[in-house]
Amino acid sequence: MPTSQAAPTELGSERIGKLLKMYAVPGIIAMTASSLYNMVDSIFIGHIPGIGSLALAGLGVSFPLMNLSSALGTLVGVGASTLVSVLLGQKNYKAANKVLANDVTLNCIIGLAFMVFCLIFLKPILFFFGASDNTITYACQYMRIILLGNVITHLYFGLNSMLRSSGHPRTAMRLTLFTVISNTILDPVFIFVFGLGIKGAAIATVLCQAMALAWTLRFYTRKDNLLHLPKGFFGLDWRIAKDSLAIGMGPFLMNAASCIVAMFINQQLLKYGGDLAIGAYGIVNRINFMFVMVIMGFNQGMQPIAGYNFGARQYSRVKKVFLLTALWATAVCVFWFAASEFFPSLMVGIFTNDPELIAIADKGLRVMNPVVLIVGWQMVSTNFFQSLGMVKKSIFLSLSRQLLFLVPLVYILPLFYDVHGVFLAFPCSDTLACIATLILIHRLFRKFSKLKDGDEPTILGSSIS
């Protein structure tokens, strides 16, 4: 593992291909493990005797609310991690430590506020997100426990992202692997041995994250680390908070939009296909999530390299890391397409034995993913703008696919194709979003072509100052 002192130097001097492997591989392993972490609950819940299918639907209904919680964590964590990467590139270590401290404080404040609000209005929220009388009990049982551990979740994911940005990608990977393995062990114990059902899955999830967070906090209290929590770190610097939240606004809006879109999708699925259609979408979503997380692993590897070199004004290296990341992400999408089109039943069957649920999810997976070949570079482009602090472009790309394109199609296409129209809305919106992304990334690279290493980046417009 690279030391905290060496990592900032190597980000600006080592070969881009080697650096991307060094930072992306742990990120890919961590993010793939993270996707498996989410899938483990679904797999075990789907096989609870007598209630598996409805419990899966209840879990699917809770997914938008979990997405919203994740969005708030991203608002703080991604922005803070991006700031830290740039500040390390500028060798401003004192400011980087202050950003870390703010990250902890903001996550505690936002996490507590979200927990209290959602626990008070949990049932109305879940009904709004598509719950029915058949699934509300399971959704509430799961989400009450998840919400009680919301601060733990925010801090764990926020500080894990900070580990990657500060030169410790392998440590972040090991912690994620620990949570996956421990969750895989504890899930069947709490669900089946202790007889807690869907509540047991939630308890195992929070407990595993709490153990990983305890180690991470201990790591960041060591003063021999270049990036560490200063004494009395619970104070809040509103200037840093404002910068961090502004940079994190793009990915926050993307995740928040996912929450809103998932709500509309669940409502349409309930209308045209019932509870089983929601359960099927939950299965398909988790399968797709696994491939998305691999691409996000590449993005996480790209982010500190792009951020550091942008701060150091080494624009040739910034361009190279983007192009290489986009190429590798596209390679992942080729495998994603093949798996979706040729082996859907095999993947769906992992989650349930219900033949009706399998049939709906099988068809949904085939319909949703015919254009995923072009999705990878679009995701990389969105993250690239965010890595450079170009907030407006990142926000636009984050919102375009989901709110501008997907939501209208989710309501229009089912009028012609019934429940399958909901699934068909995804490839249509992906195509439109890729066209918009191509226009913006082309304009950015035209501006990059006018810059030489060492030049002021003012020609690029909005960026981290």
Side-chain angles (χ1 to χ4, degrees), residues 125 198 210 287 298 397 408:
I125 290 172
I198 195 170
I287 293 172
F298 280 117
L397 292 178

Side-chain angles (χ1 to χ4, degrees), residues 152-218:
I152 293 172
T153 302
H154 277 214
L155 285 173
Y156 163 65
F157 283 112
L159 292 178
N160 193 268
S161 177
M162 197 69 72
L163 281 171
R164 287 187 295 270
S165 295
S166 59
H168 300 280
R170 293 182 185 275
T171 302
M173 175 193 70
R174 291 187 186 109
L175 283 170
T176 304
L177 287 173
F178 166 78
T179 59
V180 173
I181 294 171
S182 58
N183 193 44
T184 304
I185 295 170
L186 293 179
D187 254 354
V189 173
F190 281 101
I191 293 173
F192 301 113
V193 177
F194 295 161
L196 295 175
I198 195 170
K199 291 186 291 186
I203 293 171
T205 295
V206 174
L207 182 59
C208 295
Q209 291 175 352
M211 290 187 288
L213 175 61
W215 189 96
T216 308
L217 287 172
R218 181 176 176 273

Side-chain angles (χ1 to χ4, degrees), residues 339-388:
S340 300
E341 295 302 317
F342 300 115
F343 308 105
S345 297
L346 181 64
M347 293 187 290
V348 170
I350 297 173
F351 294 87
T352 180
N353 295 322
D354 186 323
E356 186 178 359
L357 184 57
I358 290 175
I360 299 172
D362 182 307
K363 178 70 173 179
L365 191 62
R366 291 176 185 270
V367 172
M368 277 182 68
N369 293 341
V371 299
V372 294
L373 292 170
I374 60 175
V375 167
W377 72 268
Q378 195 272 341
M379 293 175 60
V380 171
S381 299
T382 301
N383 185 265
F384 184 65
F385 283 114
Q386 177 263 315
S387 297
L388 304 186

Side-chain angles (χ1 to χ4, degrees), residues 391-411:
V391 179
K392 292 181 180 179
K393 293 181 177 66
S394 179
I395 290 174
F396 172 75
L397 292 178
S398 299
L399 294 178
S400 62
R401 174 187 176 269
Q402 299 180 90
L403 291 182
L404 296 181
F405 304 137
L406 183 56
V407 170
L409 290 170
V410 161
Y411 279 87

Side-chain angles (χ1 to χ4, degrees), residues 26 42 63 65 87-88 91 126 171-172 206 222 238 279 288 312 333 366 369 407 410 417 424 454 456:
S42 300
F63 190 72
L65 188 55
L87 289 169
L88 290 176
K91 296 181 171 55
L126 290 173
T171 302
V206 174
R222 287 167 42 189
W238 287 106
N288 285 340
C333 289
R366 291 176 185 270
N369 293 341
V407 170
V410 161
Y417 302 102
L424 184 61
E456 287 282 351

